[in-house]
Amino acid sequence: MILVYMECRDGKIKKSSLEALSEARRRGDEMGMETTAVLVGHGVNALAPDAFRYRASKVFVLENALLSHYSPSGYTKALVSLIEEIRPEIIFFAATSMGRDLSPRLAAELGVSLAADCIQTVTKDGKLEVRRPLFAGKAFASFTFKTSPQMASLRPNVFPLAEPVEDQGETIKKEVVIPEDQVKDRVVEILKAEGAELDVTEADIVVTGGRGMKGQENFDLLRELTSVLPNSALGASRSAVDAEWIDHQHQVGQTGKTVSPSLYMAFGVSGAIQHLAGMSSSKFIIAVNKDPDAPIFKVADFGIVGDLFQVIPPLKEELKKILSE
Amino acid sequence: MNLFVFVKRVPDTESKIKINHETNSIIQEGLNFVLSPYDEYAVEEALQIREAKGGQVTVFSAGPDETKAILKKCIAMGADEAVLIKDDVSETYDALRTARIISQALKTKYTEFDLLLFGKQSVGADSAQVPSMVAAMLDLPQVNVVTKLEIEGNSGTALREIEGAREKVTFMLPAVISAQKGLNEPRYETLKGIMAAKRKEIPVVTLEELGIHPEELAVGLKLTKMESPPVKESGKIIEDEPGEAAKKLAEFLRQDAKVI
C-alpha cells in the first residue's frame, strides 16, 4: 500500500498534495499497490472526496479536536498510530513547508530514512527510486531505500495532476487518542503576508527582480506584471533581498528557495552561480539585462539586452493583449 | 540558559560542484569549505539569547578533523565552547544517520540543555530533516524555519515561515529550533574573538565514547547515481528597441514556449 499525506490549508487539500497523490497512483499501478490517502485534523472528513477524485481508493481520516491546528508532534503521533496499523510500503508527502516539517519527524519516529524534495520517482525492480537535487540544483542524486516504509517528499509544481475521476472510495475514520501533553508545539495563529501573495515555490510563473531593479519602489513594476500573468509570483535575487528592497520570502537561489516553474522571468538579475542553482530547472527562462555578458543569458531561452525600465511597460501591454485573445 | 547549536561544514555557495562518477560523490579538491550559511543565524540567535538572559553557548559539529575550522569561527563569533564529534564517514545524504549521532550525544554525554538550535537546512544536502528528527528522537517540541524567536521563562513563541504567511507557534522548553534567514543579522568575528579561538582547545569525542555502535548508523538511503544538471543550449538573445523586443518576447511566450 502507498499512503499519501493530504495537507489541508484554508479548508481544502493543497494542490501539491494532490500532485503527490497523482504520482503515488502512477507508481502504485506499476507496483500493483493500492494507493491511499490520509487526512489529519478536525472537521477534515468533508475533504475526502477530493482525494478520491485524484485516485485514492481509500482515505483514512484522523480526527481529534487537539489537532484542529497544525502541530508537528501531535500530527506525528496520530500518523504513527495509523501507520503501525496499516503498514504501508511507501509514504509520500508534498515537500511544502508543512510536509518538510512533519515528514522527517514521522520518519524518525518510524526509524526510517527519508528522501526530501524529490523531483522524480520511478519503479525499479518493484521498489521505489527517487531523484532529488543537491546544492539547490548544482547536482542531482538518485536514491533507493534500505529502510521500510520507503518515505519521500515530492517537490510542489513538478509532478502532473492526474485527470480527476468520479469521487468514489472508502472513507475510514479512525479515532485518535492523544494525551494533551503529546501536542508539544502548537500553531496558535497564521499571519498572512499583505495581499496574500502566491509563494514562488507554488507559482507557474515567477517574475524576479535583481540588483538592476535599483530600488524597492521599482518592484511595483514587477508586481504589475504578476497582476497580469495568471498564477504568478514575485521573486528576488539575493542582492535585492540584502539591499532590503524586498522580503526574504521572495528570494530564489541557494540561500533562498529553489523553484521549477513553467516560466521564469528575470529582470536585472546578473545570474550569480548561487542564483542559477535555484532556478535553472525552470522550463522556460526569460532574461532582461543591460549587460550582454551577464551569466543569466547563458541559461535563458530568450533574452533581451536592454533597459528593463523601458522593456517592462510595453511588455505588460503586449502580455495583456495576448492574454485577452 | 544552556544553549546548544549544531553546525555543518559545507562548500561555500559560490562553489562549482564537480562529480566523481565512479564513487558517486562530490570532488572535494578545490572547494572552499565554510560554516553552512543558515547555521550562522542559529549561532547568532544563541549569542543574543545568552546576552539577554545569561547562560552558555556550546557549538557541536560532526565530521572530520577539518571541521574544527568552522567551530573556531563560532568561538570567534562569541560561542563559549565547541565540541567536535569525530565522524570520518563521507557525506551520505542520510539525515537519519546524523540525527542519530546528535540525539545519542544528547542522551549520553551532553544531557543538560534548554534549547537546541540548528540552521533550517545545510547548504548542499538541502534535506532540512535533522532538526525534526532530533526533536522526534528526544520527544521535544520543534519549530523549523524560524524568523522570530521569543523565550519567556520555560516557554517560547516563534514565527515560522510558510507559503505566503507565517505561523505563530508556542512550545515549552527544552525545544528544537531551526533558523531561517531574517531571524537576525549574524555578527562578524571580532579580533579578540579570533585570538580567543586560536588559543581554544576544541575537545574531540568519538562515536564510541557516545555509546554509538557503527551498525546503528547503517545508511538508510542508497545513492545509486549522481549527475550534473543537463547543460542548457543557449537561447535567442535580441537587442531590439524596447517596444519591438517586448513584442517579440510576448510572441515567443505564446507561440514557441506556449507558456501563456
Side-chain angles (χ1 to χ4, degrees):
Chain A
M1 183 193 287
I2 306 184
L3 181 68
V4 187
Y5 175 76
M6 296 288 104
E7 177 176 341
C8 308
R9 292 270 187 204
D10 304 321
K12 49 182 196 213
I13 297 176
K14 277 200 89 136
K15 180 168 161 267
S16 11
S17 294
L18 299 174
E19 291 166 4
L21 177 57
S22 304
E23 183 71 3
R25 182 62 195 255
R26 290 188 278 270
R27 293 296 79 75
D29 286 352
E30 283 171 8
M31 297 181 191
M33 269 182 209
E34 187 180 14
T35 303
T36 66
V38 57
L39 285 160
V40 183
H42 188 57
V44 290
N45 195 26
L47 303 179
D50 256 344
F52 295 134
R53 270 194 278 279
Y54 291 89
R55 313 202 180 191
S57 60
K58 283 192 188 107
V59 176
F60 299 96
V61 182
L62 309 179
E63 295 243 15
N64 186 311
L66 283 172
L67 304 178
S68 57
H69 296 288
Y70 175 54
S71 157
S73 54
Y75 277 40
T76 297
K77 290 286 177 218
L79 286 165
V80 165
S81 63
L82 174 72
I83 288 160
E84 284 177 347
E85 185 193 327
I86 64 169
R87 305 221 160 256
E89 279 97 349
I90 295 174
I91 304 173
F92 280 172
F93 277 78
T96 56
S97 304
M98 189 194 286
R100 297 200 73 176
D101 187 60
L102 178 59
S103 58
R105 186 165 186 125
L106 177 64
E109 287 262 340
L110 299 171
V112 303
S113 295
L114 162 73
D117 204 26
C118 299
I119 54 166
Q120 192 182 55
T121 81
V122 291
T123 307
K124 197 176 164 188
D125 307 326
K127 295 267 200 178
L128 189 65
E129 185 179 65
V130 296
R131 190 163 185 260
R132 59 176 301 257
L134 302 174
F135 296 91
K138 289 180 188 172
F140 292 88
S142 297
F143 295 95
T144 55
F145 299 83
K146 296 181 185 172
T147 47
S148 177
Q150 305 162 72
M151 264 186 88
S153 63
L154 310 193
R155 177 178 290 186
N157 231 347
V158 170
F159 297 91
L161 276 178
E163 276 302 313
V165 293
E166 214 177 311
D167 54 343
Q168 278 183 343
E170 189 187 354
T171 305
I172 303 170
K173 271 188 132 177
K174 296 275 177 192
E175 279 308 310
V176 189
V177 187
I178 297 182
E180 198 161 350
D181 64 0
Q182 287 297 308
V183 183
K184 295 164 181 290
D185 27 33
R186 296 162 190 253
V187 172
V188 291
E189 197 181 345
I190 294 179
L191 313 159
K192 292 250 179 203
E194 71 287 359
E197 291 171 325
L198 192 62
D199 194 77
V200 287
T201 57
E202 298 188 306
D204 289 333
I205 301 176
V206 176
V207 179
T208 290
R211 194 193 297 272
M213 293 307 296
K214 293 191 174 151
Q216 183 176 6
E217 62 288 354
N218 295 327
F219 271 83
D220 285 343
L221 285 169
L222 301 183
R223 286 193 183 91
E224 286 172 28
L225 277 184
T226 58
S227 71
V228 171
L229 294 163
N231 205 24
S232 62
L234 187 60
S237 75
R238 178 167 144 187
S239 25
V241 171
D242 286 351
E244 297 186 0
W245 297 342
I246 186 162
D247 189 84
H248 172 255
Q249 289 232 21
H250 298 273
Q251 186 178 323
V252 173
Q254 212 176 344
T255 49
K257 290 169 180 168
T258 309
V259 299
S260 332
S262 320
L263 174 61
Y264 190 87
M265 305 177 84
F267 293 91
V269 174
S270 64
I273 184 168
Q274 67 106 2
H275 186 80
L276 298 183
M279 48 63 79
S280 50
S281 62
S282 306
K283 283 170 207 95
F284 280 93
I285 298 169
I286 303 301
V288 180
N289 202 303
K290 263 202 224 171
D291 174 11
D293 298 322
I296 190 80
F297 286 124
K298 292 213 175 80
V299 299
D301 297 284
F302 193 105
I304 297 175
V305 179
D307 182 354
L308 66 94
F309 295 103
Q310 289 183 34
V311 174
I312 291 175
L315 179 61
K316 192 179 89 181
E317 295 312 314
E318 292 292 340
L319 292 172
K320 262 192 195 164
K321 206 164 81 189
I322 279 186
L323 286 161
S324 66
E325 274 167 17
Chain B
M1 294 274 287
N2 209 3
L3 303 145
F4 287 179
V5 189
F6 298 85
V7 301
K8 186 171 175 184
R9 172 182 179 263
V10 301
D12 74 31
T13 57
E14 302 300 317
S15 303
K16 286 200 170 125
I17 300 300
K18 293 190 194 125
I19 294 164
N20 179 335
H21 292 280
E22 273 166 33
T23 55
N24 269 338
S25 60
I26 302 294
I27 295 172
Q28 308 268 314
E29 285 89 61
L31 291 178
N32 176 36
F33 284 89
V34 296
L35 175 63
S36 186
Y38 295 107
D39 298 348
E40 290 189 28
Y41 302 102
V43 174
E44 176 62 34
E45 196 64 15
L47 296 175
Q48 288 188 14
I49 295 170
R50 182 193 65 191
E51 280 155 10
K53 301 182 186 291
Q56 175 158 316
V57 175
T58 308
V59 183
F60 296 80
S61 190
D65 286 328
E66 291 84 351
T67 310
K68 279 187 182 172
I70 61 158
L71 292 171
K72 293 237 170 188
K73 179 187 161 89
C74 298
I75 297 284
M77 284 175 76
D80 301 289
E81 299 295 333
V83 176
L84 172 65
I85 301 172
K86 192 152 158 64
D87 178 25
D88 286 321
V89 171
S90 54
E91 179 66 80
T92 61
Y93 303 103
D94 184 16
L96 187 71
R97 182 177 182 279
T98 312
R100 279 189 170 142
I101 293 173
I102 292 172
S103 64
Q104 197 60 27
L106 296 171
K107 281 177 186 167
T108 56
K109 199 168 157 81
Y110 304 98
T111 54
E112 297 292 317
F113 53 84
D114 300 294
L115 208 54
L116 306 176
L117 291 138
F118 298 76
K120 71 148 179 142
Q121 68 183 60
S122 71
V123 157
D126 295 354
S127 280
Q129 295 183 31
V130 173
S132 301
M133 286 184 156
V134 170
M137 289 168 182
L138 298 171
D139 209 12
L140 298 177
Q142 71 184 53
V143 195
N144 286 309
V145 199
V146 168
T147 55
K148 191 165 188 227
L149 177 63
E150 278 167 21
I151 303 293
E152 205 51 67
N154 65 345
S155 67
T157 306
L159 292 186
R160 82 178 213 98
E161 209 174 271
I162 63 166
E163 294 85 1
R166 290 186 166 94
E167 285 179 333
K168 188 178 190 178
V169 185
T170 59
F171 57 90
M172 301 295 280
L173 299 185
V176 169
I177 297 292
S178 77
Q180 163 71 316
K181 186 172 178 176
L183 177 60
N184 51 46
E185 204 50 62
R187 67 194 66 188
Y188 291 106
E189 303 104 292
T190 60
L191 192 59
K192 196 172 148 225
I194 293 168
M195 296 310 286
K198 264 194 183 150
R199 287 191 301 271
K200 188 87 183 172
E201 267 302 307
I202 298 198
V204 179
V205 295
T206 62
L207 298 179
E208 293 74 37
E209 285 172 79
L210 298 173
I212 302 172
H213 301 288
E215 64 270 23
E216 290 174 74
L217 297 181
V219 178
L221 291 176
K222 184 176 181 220
L223 180 59
T224 53
K225 191 164 52 178
M226 200 184 267
E227 299 158 288
S228 297
V231 179
K232 260 195 105 139
E233 281 177 44
S234 54
K236 188 173 182 179
I237 312 291
I238 61 170
E239 283 192 59
D240 302 27
E241 67 83 23
E244 189 57 27
K247 197 167 177 192
K248 284 185 181 165
L249 172 53
E251 277 170 15
F252 173 83
L253 294 176
R254 164 72 37 119
Q255 283 160 18
D256 299 308
K258 298 186 171 64
V259 283
I260 58 168

